[in-house]
């Protein structure tokens, strides 16, 4: 089991997770809608994989999970300032949930 330890003496993991979530939210605003699909092409899929590689599987996945929780709470962090649980249950929901898996597996592979 992978544990995420946060201590008062070392706030770096928490800063990395919050910063990764912020980077995902900013990169989601760089997107293009295509006329033949309801899912926009956005930069945050690439950033999710990079977070897994740079932060490792645990912290990268935690950053993506925080990003998804922010979006589910209604904050406008998804592409074009969208947010909310109904948006996550629409056509883009599977892609958004898949970001956590991609961050984990990219980080896992990078450690090997």
């Amino acid at each position: 089991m992978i544990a995420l330890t946060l201590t008062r003496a070392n706030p770096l993991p928490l800063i990395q997770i919050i910063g990764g979530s912020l980077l995902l939210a900013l990169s989601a605003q760089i997107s293009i809608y295509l006329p033949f699909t309801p899912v926009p092409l956005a930069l945050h899929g690439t950033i999710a994989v990079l977070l897994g590689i740079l932060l490792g599987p645990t912290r990268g996945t935690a950053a993506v999970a925080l990003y998804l929780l922010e979006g589910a709470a209604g904050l406008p962090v998804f592409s074009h300032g969208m947010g909310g649980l109904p948006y996550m249950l629409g056509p883009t929901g599977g892609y958004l949930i898949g970001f956590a898996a991609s961050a984990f597996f990219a980080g896992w592979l990078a450690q090997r």
Side-chain angles (χ1 to χ4, degrees), residues 30-112:
I30 303 169
S31 61
I32 302 169
Y33 274 108
L34 299 175
F36 54 86
T37 179
V39 180
L41 292 177
L43 189 60
H44 59 308
T46 305
I47 298 298
V49 171
L50 285 175
L51 285 174
I53 292 170
L54 295 175
L55 300 180
T58 305
R59 292 181 191 165
T61 305
V64 174
L66 179 61
Y67 168 72
L68 293 175
L69 285 174
E70 292 166 353
L75 294 175
V77 295
F78 300 137
S79 62
H80 294 283
M82 301 297 287
L85 197 56
Y87 182 78
M88 290 182 70
L89 297 175
T92 61
Y95 291 97
L96 292 171
I97 302 299
F99 289 166
S102 66
F104 178 80
F105 286 117
W108 181 77
L109 287 172
Q111 284 185 346
R112 308 267 169 285

Side-chain angles (χ1 to χ4, degrees), residues 16-26 51 63-64 66-67 70:
Q16 289 174 338
I17 291 168
I18 293 171
S21 173
L22 177 64
L23 186 61
L24 274 171
L26 292 174
L51 285 174
V64 174
L66 179 61
Y67 168 72
E70 292 166 353

